[in-house]
Amino acid sequence: MRSTPEHLPEHLRATVGLRVDLIDTPALVVDLDAMERNIQRMAEFAHKHQVRWRPHAKMHKSAEIALQLEKAGARGHCVQKVSEAEALAAGGVADLYISNEVLGGAKLLRAARLAAQLAARGGRLAIAVDSEEGITRLSEAMRVAGSDAGIDVFVEIDVGQGRCGVPPGPAALALAQAVAAQPRLHFAGLQAYHGSAQHLRGAAERRAAIAHAVQAAADTRALIEAAGLPVPLVTGSGTGTLVHEAASGVYGELQAGSFLFMDADYAANEREGAQPAFEHALFVKTQVISARPTHVVCDAGHKSHAVDSGMPLVWGLPPERALRYANGGDEHGVLHAAGPKARLPALGRMLWLVPGHCDPTVNLHDYLIGVRGGLAHGVVERIIRVDARGAVT
């Protein structure tokens, strides 16, 4: 669902049709051409490997983008929060998976009601569990909501992340059987995501980590099926490791999401030869607002981009003008010449930053400015609403 002009603030309505150099700063900008090339490459990769792809919408948080991904072949979307699912459902998305544990009674009741609403629209809601307590509470919420359609439930196993999930093996079998025993819960398979492997810099390190995850998922699936309970799907993976899960013969669905925008942290990984050549598509436009002989200051501080995965890259400059970004606080970035011969930009110069981490960067903005024709000579084509901004419950 596109953000129509009448629903936009005046300053954003006036932005549509402008050249990129006239976009006010700081602003979060999407290179639509690069994003669409990333989508096409992901769709072709999934088709080649005969796996489904369910991209993680916690990254872009936009119903409009989610629907665009579906048109390209995505099989629904992952989210991490009930409120994210609600926001995307309100924007027309009908196939959602909360790939996270939910224990709060109020949140579970909202999830149960959303499951019924999506089912009435021909859609579905799924959720992850890793405890018998979570299963019991979810079942009770479904009963209270009066939802006869039920909800799909994935048992999460810890395949190396060291975060949520039960150990692979008997503990997962016990939970799968507990899910199957509840009349309104449908055992849908295993959630097996190795998050920390996504950011291992070496390709060999990532390959080894996912080999362990694949074996753990395969052994757990075999154990559950030997007990007479089918395992319809093993789902997981991310942008950093998708080549391995796709080739495993165990994972049937990929949850990669960051491929869409490709932040600076992912760009620091050694690339696998079989991985699609995803491009940077998300940028913070900023302007030099203060200059000194030793450095310049731009107007994009960490209220404009997240710094949990490191500082942003200054993008698109020739070597003789390369810059290094340093944290200047909430409103400012301090830019230094990256080499002894590099020259600092002039006061008023517009610059492009590649955020260190795209997910929390998007969560800092109400809208994305979509540019067609590139960052040098493009124009603003559309404004994309961040529907699930601040959706943390």
Side-chain angles (χ1 to χ4, degrees):
M1 183 178 69
R2 289 199 175 192
S3 299
T4 54
E6 61 269 21
H7 294 146
L8 295 174
E10 175 58 34
H11 73 283
L12 285 174
R13 286 203 298 271
T15 300
V16 176
L18 289 181
R19 301 191 316 268
V20 291
D21 57 300
L22 297 178
I23 298 172
D24 202 4
T25 60
L28 194 58
V29 174
V30 176
D31 181 335
L32 296 173
D33 300 299
M35 182 185 79
E36 289 166 9
R37 288 191 293 268
N38 288 343
I39 293 172
Q40 182 63 28
R41 288 166 184 147
M42 185 64 197
E44 291 171 353
F45 178 85
H47 179 74
K48 176 182 177 181
H49 290 276
Q50 294 298 292
V51 291
R52 302 189 328 204
W53 53 299
R54 180 179 291 274
H56 224 305
K58 75 181 180 70
M59 194 277 295
H60 57 76
K61 298 174 172 52
S62 163
E64 179 179 328
I65 291 177
L67 295 174
Q68 185 173 353
L69 286 161
E70 286 184 12
K71 288 181 180 179
R75 179 73 174 268
H77 306 273
C78 291
V79 295
Q80 286 295 87
K81 300 290 186 175
V82 175
S83 52
E84 287 179 335
E86 291 168 330
L88 295 187
V93 181
D95 189 342
L96 292 159
Y97 168 34
I98 303 171
S99 55
N100 194 14
E101 285 67 32
V102 179
L103 263 290
K107 287 192 286 286
L108 283 170
L109 189 57
R110 284 161 47 202
R113 289 169 176 159
L114 181 60
Q117 293 165 13
L118 291 176
R121 290 162 44 185
R124 71 188 278 266
L125 182 69
I127 196 167
V129 298
D130 71 353
S131 67
E132 290 194 11
E133 179 71 17
I135 294 167
T136 300
R137 291 187 181 200
L138 175 61
S139 179
E140 175 62 13
M142 295 296 289
R143 184 194 68 78
V144 171
S147 177
D148 296 325
I151 188 170
D152 287 349
V153 179
F154 288 87
V155 170
E156 181 167 10
I157 56 174
D158 182 359
V159 293
Q161 170 80 351
R163 193 170 61 186
C164 297
V166 294
L173 168 60
L175 290 187
Q177 291 171 327
V179 170
Q182 297 290 343
R184 292 181 175 86
L185 309 186
H186 312 309
F187 176 62
L190 297 174
Q191 163 77 9
Y193 173 64
H194 194 333
S196 56
Q198 307 308 312
H199 307 283
L200 295 173
R201 295 301 177 218
E205 292 178 279
R206 297 194 302 276
R207 192 178 309 120
I210 298 305
H212 170 79
V214 167
Q215 191 62 56
D219 291 346
T220 303
R221 180 177 67 181
L223 181 67
I224 296 172
E225 290 182 337
L229 186 59
V231 181
L233 182 67
V234 176
T235 181
S237 185
T239 297
T241 65
L242 57 85
V243 295
H244 305 302
E245 288 94 345
S248 69
V250 173
Y251 285 75
E253 184 175 83
L254 308 178
Q255 297 175 2
S258 294
F259 74 90
L260 187 71
F261 290 158
M262 284 304 287
D263 53 35
D265 187 67
Y266 267 117
N269 282 357
E270 177 188 1
R271 183 170 168 262
E272 292 276 358
Q275 182 171 343
F278 299 123
E279 306 171 50
H280 292 303
L282 184 74
F283 302 87
V284 175
K285 189 188 179 196
T286 186
Q287 183 178 37
V288 176
I289 60 172
S290 180
R292 290 172 58 183
T294 55
H295 64 270
V296 298
V297 179
C298 68
D299 61 357
H302 59 239
K303 282 167 65 176
S304 300
H305 55 85
V307 297
D308 60 300
S309 294
M311 297 300 112
L313 300 176
V314 185
W315 185 251
L317 297 177
E320 66 273 13
R321 293 188 178 276
L323 299 172
R324 177 176 55 84
Y325 183 103
N327 191 352
D330 290 1
E331 313 294 351
H332 305 98
V334 180
L335 303 173
H336 300 275
K341 295 183 179 180
R343 290 175 291 169
L344 293 170
L347 198 64
R349 172 72 185 272
M350 298 294 184
L351 298 169
W352 298 98
L353 307 177
V354 177
H357 192 180
C358 48
D359 305 34
T361 294
V362 171
N363 197 47
L364 295 170
H365 295 261
D366 292 320
Y367 298 93
L368 310 174
I369 298 177
V371 167
R372 180 74 65 190
L375 301 184
H377 306 293
V379 298
V380 177
E381 179 179 278
R382 70 186 201 254
I383 307 299
I384 302 167
R385 180 180 174 83
V386 183
D387 301 280
R389 184 193 179 188
V392 297
T393 63

